[in-house]
Amino acid sequence: MIKKLLSSVREYKTPAIITFLFMVGEAMIECTIPFITANLVNQMKGDLELKTLLMTGGLLVLMALLSLSFGGLAGYTSAKASAGFAKNLRNDIFDRIQDYSFENIDKFSSSSLVTRLTTDISNVQMAFMMCIRTAVRSPLMLIFSVIMAYRMGGYLSTTFVVVIPVLAFGLILIAKFAMPAFHRVFKKYDKLNESIEENVRAMRVVKGFSREQYEEKKFEHAAEEIRSNFTYAERIVALNNPLMQICSSFNMVFVLAVGSYMVITSMGSDLDVGHISAMLTYGMQILMSLMMLSMIYVMLTMSMESMRRIVEVLDEESTLKNPEHPVMEVKDGSIEFKDVNFKYSKTAKKYALYDVDLKIESGMTVGVIGGTGSSKSSLVQLIPRLYDVSEGSVKVGGIDVREYDIETLRDSVAMVLQKNQLFSGTIKDNLRWGNKNATDEELIEASKLAQADDFISTFPDGYDTYIEQGGTNVSGGQKQRLCIARALLKKPKILILDDSTSAVDTKTDALIRKGFKEYIPDTTKIIIAQRISSVEEADLIVVLDNGKIYAAGSHEQLMAGCDIYQEIYEQQTQGKGGEQEDE
């Protein structure tokens, strides 16, 4: 896990290594200063020349400045390394998510992925900074201080034999009890982010049903659980300070009491005042080093769960992979489903699609109709290989979709969904998702065919009108038409409309379909619709029922021999007076 994470350091290895070297220099100087100071104090009891005093004082000032410089430079390089590491890690996770298949994405909730990209990476960044800075300095300070203390204090240094194990054991015990609480906190973060995400996305629904108080209570409950767990963990970690104070006080009392006795009894031959001063300093350095190590341990313990969650995303392999020698060209828009069975998960008991056999010639217009839950969307998602079939095969251009380069295949297929997504930016920016090199004339032409140019022209800024995140400043029908124009600019071999004209009136729907015939006559068009008027002129109409093709044929054939189609037609023609208007 650590190796996987450290692979994201990359170009920031140099500042990380430099930080280590600065920390070594700072620790050595910090541990040398008390030694020099102790000798100076001992010399002051005798005949100390002013020149020697000034030189030693100057040396101490120089060492202090040098130590300060090393610490400051280490702070700069560690910040640069840790921030760069976090940037690379975020990019690596985001790139990995882009490679995910829908099946992979289904394993993680969007709120969980957001938490991993934000909170978890921030925790790992902080842990990395502590590892290359504090986790280097503290052990070195501990080792150097113990060595110098034993060299100067002799028997007096036995205080550390008592203090160090007691403090170490206490700190480990504290971290052990704090770890499960931190582990629970990150689970709660996912729920908190999920609550925020749902509320923001469904704000109109929340207000429409006056459920603000319910949402507030739900969020408050999630926030309270995080507070409770964090408070419990922080209470345990807060025991560090009293434990540190007890050990520090014991060390001070022991050194002063025993040290004073040794100075008096030996008349300064075994131990002198300067040595006691140095022992107090080294004792404090040792205890502070242990305390910092405990904080590092707690931080790493807390970050370990974040590390695991991040690596879980990085280790997740896409269920869709390119073949060893992929086909790099789609010949035409012909489609063939042969003995297709499909379920969304290998562990699922029920197939979403089963016994599907369907052949579509290139350039045909195919309508797909059926009740809610009949797996219409599942059927078309197999064409651009958003999912792989569980059994059987799907062929495009006479070749199994699993043999194509995935990018090549998807570049040849354009999908317009019922729940369309627009991105923050201008209308031009959104349209050029279909063709990044499209000219303004091509944008206008595609928009006219999609019946979008009329409403775009009414905006003060026209095609430069800014679209808010998610397209919240345009209506549902306008959003659908913009997405259809975006798909047309792609000039695909296969165009899939998944109930993507549900928010426009029947007249606009007819004009859009007329535009398809004129603009992309050779493109295979698959239209999923609830309205028979949207598909009755199609070359082939497929009726789905419970994941199986119930019937297929022209409008006339289905009216003559398909009871489901007849029933839908009768229901819709009887209610002809209430056609759906554009939002």
Side-chain angles (χ1 to χ4, degrees):
M1 183 174 70
I2 301 297
K3 184 178 180 182
K4 171 76 78 173
L5 290 171
L6 290 179
S7 64
S8 297
V9 177
R10 294 196 286 276
E11 69 270 26
Y12 296 97
K13 285 181 181 178
T14 300
I17 294 171
I18 292 174
T19 301
F20 172 79
L21 296 176
F22 282 145
M23 286 294 95
V24 172
E26 184 186 17
M28 291 179 66
I29 293 172
E30 287 289 324
C31 291
T32 305
I33 288 175
F35 178 78
I36 297 174
T37 304
N39 289 331
L40 180 63
V41 171
N42 291 335
Q43 290 177 19
M44 289 174 68
K45 292 174 61 178
D47 297 328
L48 179 65
E49 294 183 2
L50 180 61
K51 181 180 178 181
T52 305
L53 177 63
L54 292 175
M55 288 181 63
T56 306
L59 177 62
L60 288 172
V61 171
L62 180 62
M63 293 177 71
L65 290 174
L66 195 58
S67 175
L68 182 64
S69 299
F70 281 160
L73 290 170
Y76 170 77
T77 54
S78 64
K80 182 178 180 180
S82 59
F85 165 65
K87 180 205 72 173
N88 287 345
L89 194 55
R90 283 193 182 93
N91 288 339
D92 291 345
I93 293 177
F94 192 78
D95 290 346
R96 173 64 70 176
I97 293 171
Q98 298 308 303
D99 289 335
Y100 279 178
S101 66
F102 278 19
E103 185 177 342
N104 295 118
I105 293 173
D106 292 342
K107 287 181 63 176
F108 303 96
S109 68
S110 56
S111 59
S112 178
L113 289 173
V114 169
T115 304
R116 294 168 203 241
L117 277 163
T118 52
T119 305
D120 287 334
I121 286 184
S122 294
N123 289 335
V124 173
Q125 177 184 349
M126 184 63 67
F128 180 75
M129 181 186 289
M130 292 185 73
C131 284
I132 63 173
R133 189 178 181 188
T134 312
V136 173
R137 185 181 188 277
S138 295
L140 290 174
M141 288 290 291
L142 177 64
I143 294 169
F144 292 158
S145 295
V146 169
I147 292 173
M148 296 299 289
Y150 269 92
R151 180 178 176 184
M152 296 191 69
Y155 172 75
L156 192 60
S157 302
T158 53
T159 180
F160 302 125
V161 176
V162 177
V163 173
I164 291 177
V166 170
L167 185 59
F169 177 76
L171 295 175
I172 291 172
L173 202 62
I174 288 170
K176 181 182 178 181
F177 282 100
M179 183 175 179
F182 286 123
H183 178 83
R184 290 191 297 269
V185 164
F186 293 107
K187 297 287 185 182
K188 308 298 184 188
Y189 266 125
D190 287 349
K191 288 187 178 180
L192 186 72
N193 284 338
E194 183 180 349
S195 177
I196 296 170
E197 183 182 14
E198 282 184 346
N199 187 270
V200 172
R201 285 187 175 183
M203 183 61 70
R204 288 179 174 84
V205 178
V206 173
K207 291 187 177 299
F209 285 87
S210 299
R211 297 283 282 179
E212 290 93 343
Q213 290 185 354
Y214 171 79
E215 288 294 318
E216 287 171 6
K217 288 181 180 178
K218 188 171 74 171
F219 180 83
E220 184 180 347
H221 177 71
E224 173 60 25
E225 285 190 325
I226 291 178
R227 184 207 64 78
S228 177
N229 282 277
F230 247 126
T231 301
Y232 174 74
E234 291 295 340
R235 282 176 179 173
I236 297 173
V237 173
L239 295 174
N240 276 346
N241 286 330
L243 181 62
M244 175 70 182
Q245 291 297 329
I246 291 171
C247 292
S248 176
S249 299
F250 173 81
N251 176 70
M252 186 178 295
V253 171
F254 184 89
V255 169
L256 288 174
V258 178
S260 299
Y261 176 79
M262 292 176 65
V263 171
I264 293 170
T265 54
S266 67
M267 302 298 291
S269 60
D270 294 334
L271 195 71
D272 213 335
V273 176
H275 295 129
I276 293 178
S277 173
M279 285 296 294
L280 290 173
T281 304
Y282 285 130
M284 187 56 66
Q285 286 181 347
I286 289 170
L287 294 175
M288 287 301 297
S289 297
L290 282 172
M291 187 172 181
M292 291 308 299
L293 284 173
S294 75
M295 295 304 297
I296 294 167
Y297 180 70
V298 170
M299 185 64 197
L300 289 177
T301 298
M302 186 173 68
S303 301
M304 197 61 67
E305 178 64 14
S306 293
M307 293 178 194
R308 185 195 64 77
R309 286 158 54 85
I310 290 170
V311 171
E312 187 179 11
V313 176
L314 293 173
D315 282 343
E316 180 74 16
E317 293 291 336
S318 175
T319 56
L320 301 181
K321 295 184 180 296
N322 270 339
E324 188 175 349
H325 301 291
V327 177
M328 301 302 293
E329 183 182 359
V330 179
K331 182 177 67 174
D332 56 44
S334 61
I335 305 166
E336 182 180 3
F337 291 81
K338 189 172 182 180
D339 301 325
V340 168
N341 292 321
F342 168 70
K343 54 185 177 181
Y344 284 97
S345 170
K346 293 178 182 178
T347 58
K349 295 181 180 179
K350 186 179 178 182
Y351 283 98
L353 292 165
Y354 58 96
D355 295 337
V356 176
D357 286 286
L358 180 64
K359 192 168 185 178
I360 302 170
E361 299 296 333
S362 182
M364 285 180 66
T365 298
V366 178
V368 181
I369 202 164
T372 302
S374 58
S375 297
K376 302 184 293 295
S377 296
S378 300
L379 180 75
V380 296
Q381 285 177 354
L382 300 177
I383 297 170
R385 206 186 169 198
L386 300 179
Y387 291 94
D388 269 341
V389 296
S390 303
E391 298 170 9
S393 65
V394 177
K395 293 182 179 180
V396 171
I399 298 174
D400 194 311
V401 293
R402 290 168 290 196
E403 296 180 24
Y404 282 109
D405 171 70
I406 294 176
E407 188 174 345
T408 299
L409 173 66
R410 291 177 182 170
D411 275 343
S412 300
V413 181
M415 289 189 72
V416 185
L417 308 175
Q418 181 183 13
K419 293 181 179 180
N420 296 286
Q421 183 67 50
L422 294 175
F423 299 87
S424 54
T426 64
I427 289 177
K428 284 183 179 180
D429 293 336
N430 275 276
L431 293 178
R432 286 195 171 110
W433 273 66
N435 178 6
K436 63 182 180 181
N437 298 316
T439 63
D440 288 351
E441 290 74 20
E442 289 173 322
L443 297 182
I444 294 171
E445 182 184 12
S447 297
K448 285 181 177 178
L449 291 167
Q451 305 304 307
D453 181 68
D454 289 343
F455 75 81
I456 294 174
S457 300
T458 63
F459 295 147
D461 296 324
Y463 284 81
D464 291 315
T465 299
Y466 189 83
I467 299 293
E468 302 292 342
Q469 184 180 11
T472 55
N473 58 332
V474 291
S475 73
Q478 291 171 341
K479 190 186 297 185
Q480 284 186 338
R481 282 176 278 173
L482 287 172
C483 291
I484 291 171
R486 180 172 66 186
L488 289 173
L489 284 165
K490 198 173 183 181
K491 296 183 179 178
K493 289 184 169 62
I494 300 171
L495 174 64
I496 299 171
L497 304 176
D498 188 355
D499 208 9
S500 53
T501 57
S502 59
V504 300
D505 59 78
T506 52
K507 180 182 177 181
T508 304
D509 186 13
L511 290 171
I512 291 172
R513 284 184 278 112
K514 181 183 176 183
F516 291 163
K517 288 182 180 179
E518 297 174 356
Y519 189 65
I520 46 173
D522 298 327
T523 295
T524 303
K525 296 163 281 290
I526 300 177
I527 303 171
I528 295 176
Q530 299 292 336
R531 294 183 300 214
I532 284 182
S533 60
S534 299
V535 299
E536 62 181 342
E537 296 179 1
D539 301 311
L540 177 68
I541 302 172
V542 178
V543 180
L544 282 176
D545 184 45
N546 291 323
K548 191 172 183 178
I549 294 180
Y550 185 82
S554 65
H555 172 71
E556 291 75 16
Q557 290 171 331
L558 293 175
M559 284 297 295
C562 178
D563 54 345
I564 293 178
Y565 191 81
Q566 292 168 3
E567 183 181 350
I568 296 172
Y569 182 79
E570 289 173 4
Q571 289 174 347
Q572 293 182 2
T573 53
Q574 286 175 3
K576 216 170 185 182
E579 291 179 345
Q580 190 174 3
E581 296 298 325
D582 186 8
E583 292 182 6

